[in-house]
């Protein structure tokens, strides 16, 4: 990974449905978790679910994050489905 990129990781159902465990995206000034989700969802197909009816949870550098959480070059952003209990 270069210092100008974000590492984006996917867990559980998302990893299976997107058929990838991780990828790198260029980091841009002022970027947020929501911005990363929008960029990925714009790819269409199964990626669109990232902004669909079922919310995804996010973490930045292994700390729970909100959509407004800023991301900076070198950060790791992880997305995973909400945990449900039964």
């Amino acid at each position: 990974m270069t210092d100008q990129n974000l590492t984006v990781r996917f867990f559980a159902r998302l990893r299976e449905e997107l058929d990838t465990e991780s990828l790198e995206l260029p980091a841009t000034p002022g970027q947020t978790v929501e911005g990363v989700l929008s960029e990925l969802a714009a790819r269409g197909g199964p990626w669109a679910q990232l902004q669909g009816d079922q919310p995804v949870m996010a973490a930045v550098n292994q700390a729970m994050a909100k959509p407004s959480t800023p991301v900076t070059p070198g950060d790791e952003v992880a997305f995973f489905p909400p945990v449900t209990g039964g």
Side-chain angles (χ1 to χ4, degrees):
M1 180 180 81
T2 69
D3 290 338
Q4 300 305 308
N5 287 339
L6 303 171
T7 299
V8 183
R9 299 192 186 282
F10 304 96
F11 293 92
R13 166 181 63 81
L14 295 177
R15 176 174 30 200
E16 295 168 12
E17 293 175 1
L18 299 174
D19 196 30
T20 189
E21 183 175 322
S22 67
L23 53 83
E24 289 193 17
L25 292 176
T28 57
Q31 197 169 21
T32 63
V33 168
E34 184 173 31
V36 174
L37 278 173
S38 294
E39 183 177 338
L40 292 170
R43 294 178 173 200
W47 296 93
Q49 72 177 305
L50 294 173
Q51 288 193 308
D53 295 335
Q54 297 182 352
V56 296
M57 298 181 73
V60 175
N61 299 325
Q62 300 182 1
M64 293 305 297
K66 296 179 180 179
S68 60
T69 300
V71 294
T72 57
D75 282 351
E76 177 187 84
V77 182
F79 295 110
F80 47 95
V83 178
T84 57

